[in-house]
């Protein structure tokens, strides 16, 4: 009975805490606006799953490289394909690939970090060595190397980006775990005879959730840039798929006469990455009271 | 003497990482689809020729012997022979390297010249216009695709204004656009770190003491704040070399700048895997060495760390 009451109060307190966080996030006008911009963009991509103004793959050289007009809002590309339609379809690749790979990277990286920090010993050494090696490669170079080895394609991109992002999570999570693991409440749960995995996910993980969420938001922005850079270098999704970076790559030949082919996909990439970064700033302030106080003081 | 001992220790500790990196690069090329010997010989080659190349490259030996051979060769400075050019890979790299170094230095200089003052001023005057510009610059650095910025710069300065050349490396003017592009990759991060580092030192006790003693603001800032704020900035510069190398690959490709970054992309499209392997290894080595150097400098400039580390070694 009493236990139930405590649990009920606890969940109420959690709810209140979440609402308070949301209020802080909302008070950051820039971050809040970015959230809506991002939702709008994702909405456009979702609409693209069912409807596009034109067929994004249909080419017609007679209407090639037209500047923006009422008929083609963002103009047409070098093969006369409607750029808006291509961006709507390409978004599912650029944004989707980043989303899946960062999610994978964060799950794998965080789990390794939890194991590494919680168990210590030999397994910690092995995991840290692997992370050392991954961090010895500049991120973009690691992704390029993996793409060369795996060959172009959506699956390769997902693998390459998740491998490029996981080590940061392992480092981050391990650091926090090492701070927490000697706290009294962990010792108390251990005495209750709970299994290590239970303690790890139920009691240690919540402590690292805020930094993981903030890091993930930033990485979403970063991986959009990485995926499109690989696409631009011709190492990403093979044509004719209108991945945003690949669109810039094919359009660059016509930079002199028709810059709009390059400008619009770039703007889409920039707005997406920018939104993620600004939302990340807002989340950091909302989830981590310490950094907020720090920032307000100056 | 202690400095040397610390350096030795630091190098010793990066050996596992180095072996791991070598193994990783070695595996990357082995898992490539298709038979490397067949790739080198070309599609019309006779089976005997393919067999001969296989023996030449040691591909017929067991895999662990191949790895040991690879490591021994690398230790001797032998990165293999380029499939496309037939020349030693290390020669190709050293031939192109000066271009990348010059580009990186100019880009780093531009980044420092703009980011340091911007970061410091925005930390000291958080509500000023400079602070606003600083946050815009660090956001642009973190959110804009490098290759796109490069193309936009080409459009503005080469196509519209016809002021600067857009590709190649024939004159000193050719470096301006690629260097600006690459510096934008570094600037955002550098501004942010400088700003937060100065803010942190500003709130520390010794700065409060100095201010309480009645020292002039200018003296406190130059003598107490900046000196301490430089330490994290030095650390970030080591990590920046990673961004610099990655950014160089993209920037050099867009501007046809003949450094090792564009060589890497060319090698990838020539399917010259020996060259690809060599360049990647070379860049990783540079990155590892720079980080060792940065660690040593870091330990050297900060007496608190120096004492602890040197007592340990």
């Amino acid at each position: 009975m009493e236990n139930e009451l405590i649990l009920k109060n606890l969940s109420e307190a959690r709810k209140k805490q979440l609402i308070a966080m949301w209020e802080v996030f909302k008070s950051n006008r820039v971050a809040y606006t970015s959230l809506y911009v991002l939702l709008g963009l994702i909405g456009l991509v979702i609409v693209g799953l069912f409807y596009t103004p034109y067929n994004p793959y249909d080419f017609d050289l007679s209407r090639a490289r037209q500047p923006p007009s009422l008929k083609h809002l963002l103009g047409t590309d070098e093969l006369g394909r409607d750029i808006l339609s291509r961006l709507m379809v390409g978004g599912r690749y650029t944004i989707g690939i980043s989303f899946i790979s960062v999610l994978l990277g964060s799950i794998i990286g965080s789990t390794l970090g939890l194991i590494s920090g919680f168990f210590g010993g030999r397994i910690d050494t092995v995991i840290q060595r692997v992370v050392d090696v991954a961090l010895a490669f500049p991120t973009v170079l690691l992704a390029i190397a993996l793409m060369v080895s795996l060959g172009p394609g959506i699956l390769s991109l997902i693998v390459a980006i998740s491998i490029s992002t996981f080590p940061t999570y392992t480092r981050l999570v391990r650091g926090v775990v090492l701070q927490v693991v000697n706290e009294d409440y962990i010792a108390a749960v251990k005495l209750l005879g709970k299994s290590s995995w239970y303690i790890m996910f139920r009691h240690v993980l919540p402590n690292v959730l805020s930094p993981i969420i903030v890091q993930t938001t930033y990485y979403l922005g970063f991986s959009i840039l990485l995926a499109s850079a690989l696409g631009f270098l011709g190492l990403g999704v093979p044509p004719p798929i209108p991945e945003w970076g690949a669109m810039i790559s094919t359009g660059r030949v016509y930079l002199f006469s028709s810059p709009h082919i390059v400008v619009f996909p770039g703007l889409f990439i920039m707005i997406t990455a920018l939104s993620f970064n600004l939302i990340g700033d807002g989340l950091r302030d909302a989830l981590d009271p310490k950094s907020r106080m720090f920032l307000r003081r100056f | 003497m202690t400095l040397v001992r610390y350096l030795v220790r630091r190098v010793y500790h990066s050996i596992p990482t180095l072996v791991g990196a070598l193994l990783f690069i070695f595996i990357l090329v082995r898992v490539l689809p298709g038979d490397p010997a067949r790739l080198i010989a070309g599609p019309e080659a006779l089976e005997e020729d393919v067999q001969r190349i296989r023996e030449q490259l040691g591909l017929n030996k067991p895999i662990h012997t191949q790895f040991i051979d690879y490591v021994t060769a690398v230790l001797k400075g032998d990165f293999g022979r380029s499939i496309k050019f037939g020349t030693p890979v290390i020669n190709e790299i050293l031939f192109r390297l000066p271009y990348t170094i010059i580009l990186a230095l100019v880009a780093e200089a531009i980044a420092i010249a703009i980011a340091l003052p911007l970061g410091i001023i925005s930390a000291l005057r958080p509500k000023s216009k400079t602070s606003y510009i600083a946050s815009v610059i660090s956001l642009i650095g973190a959110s804009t695709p490098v290759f796109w910025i490069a193309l936009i710069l080409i459009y503005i300065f080469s196509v519209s204004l016809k002021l600067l050349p857009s590709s190649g490396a024939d004159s000193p003017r050719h470096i301006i656009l690629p260097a600006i592009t690459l510096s934008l990759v570094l600037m955002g991060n550098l501004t942010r770190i400088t700003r937060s580092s100065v803010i942190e030192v500003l709130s520390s006790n010794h700065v409060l003491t100095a201010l309480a003693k009645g020292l002039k603001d200018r003296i406190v800032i130059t003598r107490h704040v900046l000196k301490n704020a430089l330490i994290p900035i030095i650390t970030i510069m080591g990590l920046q070399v990673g961004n610099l190398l990655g950014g160089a690959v993209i920037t050099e490709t867009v501007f046809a700048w003949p450094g090792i970054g564009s060589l890497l992309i060319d090698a990838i499209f020539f399917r010259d895997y020996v060259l690809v392997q060599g360049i990647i290894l070379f860049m990783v080595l540079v990155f590892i060495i720079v980080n060792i150097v940065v660690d040593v400098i870091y330990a050297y400039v900060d007496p608190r760390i120096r004492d602890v580390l040197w007592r340990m070694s």
Side-chain angles (χ1 to χ4, degrees):
Chain A
M1 205 43 206
E2 217 170 279
N3 276 340
E4 269 169 37
L5 202 65
I6 293 173
L7 280 178
K8 196 169 158 254
N9 283 337
L10 207 65
S11 71
E12 295 244 308
R14 281 223 182 99
K15 220 184 266 170
K16 270 188 191 148
Q17 202 186 359
L18 277 180
I19 292 170
M21 283 174 183
W22 174 241
E23 289 299 326
V24 175
F25 182 79
K26 246 166 76 175
S27 71
N28 184 337
R29 296 290 278 280
V30 179
Y32 194 57
T33 317
S34 307
L35 182 65
Y36 277 99
V37 171
L38 186 67
L39 287 178
L41 249 162
I42 293 177
L44 199 63
V45 173
I46 291 175
V47 170
L49 295 175
F50 310 104
Y51 166 80
T52 49
Y54 293 87
N55 181 334
Y57 299 106
D58 239 5
F59 62 89
D60 175 0
L61 289 175
S62 68
R63 50 164 207 237
R65 293 192 276 142
Q66 283 176 10
S69 65
L70 275 181
K71 223 171 139 205
H72 296 278
L73 282 178
L74 302 182
T76 57
D77 71 0
E78 70 280 2
L79 296 176
R81 297 172 296 195
D82 181 54
I83 291 183
L84 178 62
S85 306
R86 287 178 66 73
L87 285 171
M88 284 169 79
V89 170
R92 78 179 72 141
Y93 298 98
T94 314
I95 298 179
I97 289 169
S98 313
F99 223 85
I100 298 172
S101 21
V102 173
L103 205 67
L104 271 177
S106 68
I107 293 174
I108 297 169
S110 308
T111 311
L112 285 177
L114 273 176
I115 295 173
S116 198
F118 194 80
F119 292 112
R122 192 170 294 170
I123 188 145
D124 180 32
T125 316
V126 172
I127 293 176
Q128 288 314 305
R129 286 289 157 274
V130 172
V131 169
D132 278 344
V133 172
L135 288 176
F137 286 76
T139 319
V140 176
L141 191 68
L142 182 60
I144 291 177
L146 286 164
M147 285 314 288
V148 172
S149 175
L150 299 167
I154 296 173
L155 199 64
S156 319
L157 259 179
I158 292 175
V159 173
I161 298 176
S162 20
I163 292 183
S164 312
T165 47
F166 92 90
T168 316
Y169 286 99
T170 309
R171 278 283 155 84
L172 183 80
V173 172
R174 179 177 178 267
V176 181
V177 172
L178 287 180
Q179 281 171 23
V180 179
V181 86
N182 291 323
E183 297 274 340
D184 287 344
Y185 69 92
I186 300 287
V189 201
K190 269 187 191 157
L191 281 178
L192 286 174
K194 301 287 186 188
S195 77
S196 297
W197 291 94
Y198 178 84
I199 301 174
M200 240 162 51
F201 283 98
R202 190 77 180 75
H203 296 283
V204 179
L205 187 63
N207 286 293
V208 279
L209 223 46
S210 308
I212 290 180
I213 291 172
V214 175
Q215 182 67 42
T216 303
T217 325
Y218 287 135
Y219 258 162
L220 281 170
F222 172 74
S223 66
I224 297 267
L225 298 183
L226 185 56
S228 59
L230 292 170
F232 176 78
L233 291 172
L235 299 169
V237 187
I241 290 176
E243 191 275 320
W244 294 349
M247 285 174 73
I248 297 179
S249 175
T250 49
R252 65 182 278 211
V253 188
Y254 306 97
L255 186 65
F256 289 75
S257 53
S258 322
H260 70 274
I261 304 177
V262 163
V263 169
F264 289 119
L267 277 179
F268 269 61
I269 298 171
M270 190 176 93
I271 293 170
T272 316
L274 192 62
S275 310
F276 276 123
N277 280 321
L278 291 170
I279 293 171
D281 285 348
L283 281 177
R284 187 195 54 207
D285 295 352
L287 296 178
D288 182 3
K290 258 183 289 174
S291 82
R292 185 166 72 239
M293 269 151 53
F294 185 72
L295 287 174
R296 274 214 187 128
R297 209 164 352 129
F298 293 95
Chain B
M1 224 30 235
T2 32
L3 181 68
V4 176
R5 220 184 308 159
Y6 174 64
L7 181 67
V8 171
R9 226 173 64 95
R10 184 67 185 70
V11 171
Y12 175 74
H13 279 284
S14 47
I15 290 176
T17 311
L18 195 60
V19 175
L22 277 167
L23 185 63
F24 183 75
I25 294 170
F26 175 78
I27 293 171
L28 274 184
V29 175
R30 303 295 131 162
V31 297
L32 278 174
D35 177 358
R38 168 61 69 184
L39 270 172
I40 295 166
E44 284 117 40
L46 297 168
E47 190 49 44
E48 299 121 67
D49 289 333
V50 177
Q51 188 57 36
R52 191 172 43 80
I53 289 171
R54 199 171 286 138
E55 272 165 33
Q56 247 172 30
L57 293 176
L59 292 170
N60 49 349
K61 293 183 192 164
I63 195 96
H64 59 272
T65 327
Q66 284 184 43
F67 180 61
I68 292 169
D69 287 351
Y70 173 59
V71 175
T72 345
V74 167
L75 285 179
K76 285 184 199 150
D78 174 14
F79 284 39
R81 261 171 194 283
S82 157
I83 299 170
K84 166 95 179 165
F85 304 108
T87 48
V89 165
I90 194 75
N91 291 7
E92 290 298 320
I93 293 176
L94 292 178
F95 182 66
R96 299 274 204 124
L97 187 62
Y99 288 97
T100 302
I101 294 178
I102 291 173
L103 179 62
L105 286 180
V106 177
E108 187 76 58
I110 298 175
I112 292 174
I114 294 176
L116 280 196
L118 216 52
I120 294 168
I121 296 171
S122 69
L124 297 175
R125 309 253 176 280
K127 294 248 156 75
S128 66
K129 218 175 250 171
T130 321
S131 168
Y132 179 73
I133 295 171
S135 43
V136 170
I137 283 195
S138 51
L139 270 171
I140 287 179
S143 321
T144 330
V146 195
F147 52 94
W148 187 67
I149 292 233
L151 293 174
I152 298 294
L153 286 177
I154 291 179
Y155 186 71
I156 297 174
F157 292 100
S158 308
V159 181
S160 299
L161 303 174
K162 297 193 170 35
L163 278 176
L164 294 165
S166 65
S167 73
D170 305 324
S171 76
R173 286 173 66 234
H174 281 83
I175 202 173
I176 299 174
L177 287 184
I180 291 176
T181 307
L182 193 52
S183 77
L184 285 173
V185 181
L186 311 169
M187 221 181 276
N189 234 333
L190 204 55
T191 313
R192 210 169 47 241
I193 300 295
T194 310
R195 180 174 171 275
S196 63
S197 167
V198 171
I199 287 178
E200 207 177 312
V201 181
L202 274 178
S203 63
S204 66
N205 287 331
H206 75 273
V207 172
L208 282 180
T209 317
L211 287 171
K213 276 199 305 191
L215 281 182
K216 287 206 182 85
D217 281 6
R218 172 175 291 276
I219 297 181
V220 175
I221 287 163
T222 48
R223 201 177 291 167
H224 296 275
V225 176
L226 295 186
K227 217 170 119 187
N228 283 297
L230 271 178
I231 295 169
I233 298 173
I234 292 174
T235 327
I236 204 69
M237 301 265 236
L239 290 174
Q240 289 252 36
V241 172
N243 293 342
L244 204 60
L245 288 168
V249 175
I250 298 168
T251 313
E252 289 179 3
T253 308
V254 180
F255 290 100
W257 183 260
I260 52 172
S262 55
L263 182 66
L264 173 65
I265 299 300
D266 289 347
I268 291 173
F269 288 102
F270 292 149
R271 299 177 166 273
D272 188 340
Y273 296 114
V274 185
L275 190 52
V276 171
Q277 195 179 26
I279 298 170
I280 292 176
L281 175 64
F282 185 82
M283 288 187 170
V284 172
L285 282 179
V286 169
F287 194 39
I288 292 179
I289 293 170
V290 167
N291 276 302
I292 292 177
V293 172
V294 166
D295 271 4
V296 174
I297 295 177
Y298 183 58
Y300 187 73
V301 293
D302 190 339
R304 288 165 300 185
I305 302 168
R306 182 171 60 206
D307 292 347
V308 176
L309 284 177
W310 290 3
R311 221 173 295 140
M312 272 162 43
S313 52

